[in-house]
Amino acid sequence: MPVLLYLTTRFLRPKPLPGIPHYPVTSFFGDIMALGTDAVKYGTPFSEGAFFWTSVEKLGPIYQVFMGPLQPSTVVLADAQEIEDVLLRSRNKSMDICNIMLNLFSATIPLGCMIDIPVDDMWRRHRRVSTALMTSSSLRKMTPSIVANTGLLVEYWREKMRQAETQGAVCFACEDDFEGSTLDTITDIVTGRRLGVTANHLDQLYRGSAKIEVNQHGGAVIHLTEMPLYTALRWLFHQIGRVAYFPPWFAKIYQRLVIYTSSYKQHYSIAAEYIDGCIEEGRTAVKEARSLGEEPSAKTMISWVVEKEVESGQPLLPGREFRDEVLTYIFGVRPCSSDGGHDTTSTVLQWGIKFLSDAPDVQRTLRAELLSRLDDSPDKRPLTFDDMSSEKVPYLEAVVAEMLRHGQVSEATSRTTLEPVTIFGHTIPAGVDIIFMTTAASIMSTESKAEQIRARDDVRSESSLKQGSNTSLWEDDSRLFKPERWLIDDPNGKGRIFNPKAGYNMPFGVGPRSCAGKQLAQLELKLFIATLNLAFFFEKVPAELGGYKPVARLTRGPSQSYVAPRAWKA
């Protein structure tokens, strides 16, 4: 019996890849217990001080972790220059979508999300849609929708703060506000039919049907009645995030079982009915325009796809692919998790307002730039697409770039090897998942670590050495929120300009699977931040409500999101 137990334990125990550093394998659970403990303690296992970060310091820039019994090892890479080279140049064709992502999205959007289908004809169809929608002309058409929704959020916050103060509050919870407003925006852009979350919330405030609770620290939480469609979309998205930090095998089992639950069926049915209705409306509108001899002008993702279908006489996204692609845009789930969809944009804004609330000088500098560089009193008119160029407002560009860098919304990306790949002198066989710690690697790329980073040149790939690094290293204050780090003096003597190569930063990923919606995400963030900055000065919230501990979900969000918007003083 002891022999059988020994052999069984040995069989279940994870099998390390030779030569790649790892912690001692003392249990068939591998590193799961340590990962779970740090996820609870630090919010996510990728946070500074938690498992993945400290492992870089203890094991080096490449190491392996073990996710449980009978599971192959997972390789982790945390060197910014090598990550760029692997994903962008020499080895990107040797990798594809990771099993981790395939498992997460297998239930809700198995065909639409470009992160969970391999690079094949289907992937190229979806990429074609994304690329066409990110042109300047398309983004210009989307801008009025974004501006309208940010304007409604401003009105909502004015009334919300007024009512909260009548109950003795000094600030209010805002996580749901950003989620609702960004969902309104993306549904308007994708379907042409705004969900109306913020308008519904504002109406309840005006009618006096909202319930306001104020906690002991002066933070108001306002309870509202939600629309069924909003509830359904949120439920579907959050059920994906519930297992984002669990071992891949657990996520796979969960996603296969959840589709049989009554909750999933109810919520998915509501979402599917809404999307299918929008698609049918789009097809009808294009056909009617054609019958009248008119040339339709695509203003939404759905109308663009439908026009291409009519032109070619065959579906561009056949079957369920169309519905799943719409859900993909709404949810905002791409390889980078920053693609302009509602959740990722909402999460960046939550972090961003926290940063601004604790940086009054940044708020004042930003407002001064907007008022001085934009024509026709931008605080009294809707902002435009042309207002958002980095040439006009470099400090706004720097603020948004720093929010993306410092917010660390997408902590890592992952791939699976299709063939043997060599990284830092280690040969990784086919079928191995690799986690690229894009955020930690970027933050760790500081001037004080230059010698340590250059010491790795002996084992870098030929392409990495040949290309070298065209990006600067950060100063040693990389853990601070400091938009000025992105600005340099204009060589033509015209003040300060934005420098996109100020240091390593990969919020949108790199390579073929980088974020297809990067331009939309940046446009949304700039319009939201500029509009809110012109309307409000954000006071610092009580320390008990302003913590920076993250919470583990599909995107890395703050566990506390409170805001204290006040009108600017003359």
Side-chain angles (χ1 to χ4, degrees):
M1 190 68 176
V3 174
L4 179 60
L5 181 61
Y6 168 77
L7 292 175
T8 302
T9 303
R10 186 178 178 85
F11 173 74
L12 293 174
R13 187 173 293 176
K15 308 298 188 295
L17 296 172
I20 301 178
H22 60 85
Y23 293 116
V25 181
T26 59
S27 164
F28 57 74
F29 287 111
D31 298 307
I32 287 181
M33 301 305 292
L35 286 165
T37 299
D38 280 6
V40 173
K41 182 179 179 180
Y42 295 97
T44 83
F46 288 95
S47 298
E48 185 169 2
F51 181 89
F52 284 102
W53 195 296
T54 57
S55 295
V56 178
E57 300 168 349
K58 294 177 180 178
L59 301 175
I62 184 170
Y63 60 91
Q64 54 186 318
V65 297
F66 310 105
M67 301 293 189
L70 300 178
Q71 298 299 305
S73 68
T74 298
V75 174
V76 181
L77 181 62
D79 178 275
Q81 180 178 330
E82 204 67 12
I83 289 174
E84 276 194 352
D85 187 72
V86 169
L87 297 179
L88 186 61
R89 306 183 193 100
S90 62
R91 289 154 283 185
N92 70 77
K93 293 183 179 179
S94 300
M95 303 178 188
D96 207 345
I97 178 62
C98 180
N99 294 323
I100 297 171
M101 306 308 295
L102 285 168
N103 293 334
L104 280 179
F105 300 104
S106 58
T108 306
I109 40 179
L111 299 180
C113 185
M114 290 197 302
I115 61 173
D116 67 346
I117 51 179
V119 178
D120 55 12
D121 290 343
M122 183 189 295
W123 183 88
R124 293 183 183 91
R125 287 198 301 270
H126 290 256
R127 190 71 175 191
R128 180 186 174 195
V129 172
S130 300
T131 301
L133 292 172
M134 294 304 114
T135 63
S136 294
S137 60
S138 294
L139 293 170
R140 189 181 296 275
K141 293 177 182 177
M142 298 175 189
T143 298
S145 173
I146 302 171
V147 171
N149 283 293
T150 56
L152 193 59
L153 179 63
V154 167
E155 182 183 353
Y156 176 50
W157 274 10
R158 285 195 178 116
E159 181 62 18
K160 191 174 183 180
M161 192 71 242
R162 187 191 69 79
Q163 293 196 22
E165 287 179 325
T166 63
Q167 302 298 315
V170 296
C171 60
F172 57 78
C174 63
E175 177 182 349
D176 291 349
D177 302 344
F178 281 128
E179 191 165 8
S181 186
T182 53
L183 190 55
D184 282 342
T185 300
I186 200 64
T187 51
D188 202 2
I189 289 172
V190 172
T191 71
R193 192 197 296 179
R194 184 188 304 175
L195 204 58
V197 178
T198 305
N200 175 49
H201 290 173
L202 182 60
D203 180 63
Q204 291 182 61
L205 283 181
Y206 283 148
R207 288 189 290 106
S209 59
K211 179 182 178 182
I212 302 176
E213 293 183 357
V214 181
N215 60 37
Q216 60 180 331
H217 305 298
V221 177
I222 300 182
H223 301 278
L224 302 157
T225 302
E226 303 295 0
M227 299 179 296
L229 178 56
Y230 178 47
T231 301
L233 290 171
R234 291 182 73 187
W235 189 95
L236 289 171
F237 181 81
H238 290 303
Q239 71 84 20
I240 298 171
R242 288 188 191 105
V243 290
Y245 287 90
F246 282 81
W249 58 267
F250 183 88
K252 183 176 183 179
I253 294 172
Y254 174 86
Q255 295 296 342
R256 287 191 175 183
L257 294 178
V258 73
I259 60 175
Y260 297 106
T261 65
S262 58
S263 292
Y264 177 89
K265 292 177 180 178
Q266 174 188 353
H267 291 112
Y268 187 83
S269 175
I270 293 172
E273 182 180 0
Y274 162 73
I275 293 170
D276 291 347
C278 291
I279 292 173
E280 190 57 37
E281 285 180 9
R283 286 176 172 151
T284 300
V286 170
K287 290 177 181 177
E288 289 179 351
R290 297 274 183 179
S291 67
L292 296 173
E294 299 174 354
E295 194 66 31
S297 177
K299 294 183 179 180
T300 68
M301 184 270 262
I302 285 180
S303 61
W304 187 90
V305 173
V306 169
E307 285 184 24
K308 297 303 176 185
E309 288 182 343
V310 173
E311 289 175 5
S312 64
Q314 58 185 6
L316 178 60
L317 299 174
R320 183 176 168 175
E321 282 187 48
F322 202 166
R323 181 198 299 165
D324 283 5
E325 186 68 2
V326 172
L327 273 176
T328 297
Y329 272 85
I330 291 174
F331 288 161
V333 282
R334 297 289 183 187
C336 58
S337 295
S338 300
D339 74 324
H342 94 279
D343 183 78
T344 47
T345 307
S346 167
T347 306
V348 174
L349 289 170
Q350 289 174 51
W351 284 115
I353 293 300
K354 289 176 75 70
F355 301 150
L356 291 178
S357 298
D358 290 339
D361 288 345
V362 172
Q363 295 187 63
R364 296 186 184 99
T365 302
L366 176 58
R367 188 168 191 267
E369 177 188 80
L370 294 171
L371 291 175
S372 63
R373 286 178 171 254
L374 300 181
D375 299 328
D376 303 324
S377 302
D379 56 334
K380 299 176 182 178
R381 64 167 174 84
L383 296 174
T384 68
F385 177 78
D386 292 329
D387 288 336
M388 296 296 101
S389 71
S390 61
E391 290 78 15
K392 279 189 175 181
V393 282
Y395 195 72
L396 173 61
E397 192 85 29
V399 168
V400 169
E402 187 69 350
M403 288 177 178
L404 286 164
R405 186 195 72 84
H406 199 56
Q408 305 174 33
V409 171
S410 178
E411 297 176 297
T413 189
S414 54
R415 300 287 187 275
T416 295
T417 55
L418 302 176
E419 59 188 24
V421 175
T422 300
I423 300 177
F424 277 154
H426 300 288
T427 299
I428 302 169
V432 174
D433 289 343
I434 302 178
I435 294 175
F436 298 92
M437 291 182 60
T438 51
T439 294
S442 299
I443 293 175
M444 290 178 174
S445 297
T446 60
E447 292 174 352
S448 64
K449 293 190 176 182
E451 184 176 346
Q452 180 181 338
I453 293 170
R454 294 281 63 85
R456 302 167 191 165
D457 288 350
D458 292 341
V459 290
R460 293 190 190 278
S461 68
E462 182 179 347
S463 62
S464 179
L465 289 172
K466 182 178 180 180
Q467 182 69 25
S469 172
N470 60 357
T471 302
S472 303
L473 296 176
W474 296 117
E475 295 180 358
D476 293 333
D477 60 357
S478 64
R479 290 166 175 80
L480 301 179
F481 178 72
K482 181 181 172 184
E484 290 76 12
R485 71 176 77 252
W486 293 93
L487 300 175
I488 58 174
D489 292 330
D490 185 347
N492 297 318
K494 297 182 179 180
R496 305 277 276 172
I497 59 174
F498 179 72
N499 175 26
K501 294 295 184 180
Y504 281 104
N505 191 36
M506 296 176 268
F508 299 103
V510 291
R513 286 191 175 274
S514 62
C515 180
K518 173 182 177 180
Q519 291 85 355
L520 174 57
Q522 291 177 313
L523 178 62
E524 277 190 276
L525 289 170
K526 286 190 285 187
L527 286 167
F528 264 92
I529 292 301
T531 302
L532 292 173
N533 174 259
L534 288 169
F536 301 117
F537 176 79
F538 296 102
E539 294 184 352
K540 189 177 179 67
V541 304
E544 296 83 359
L545 303 176
Y548 279 82
K549 182 179 179 179
V551 61
R553 54 195 189 200
L554 193 58
T555 51
R556 176 186 180 273
S559 56
Q560 293 179 307
S561 294
Y562 284 83
V563 66
R566 299 289 193 278
W568 285 93
K569 296 179 180 179

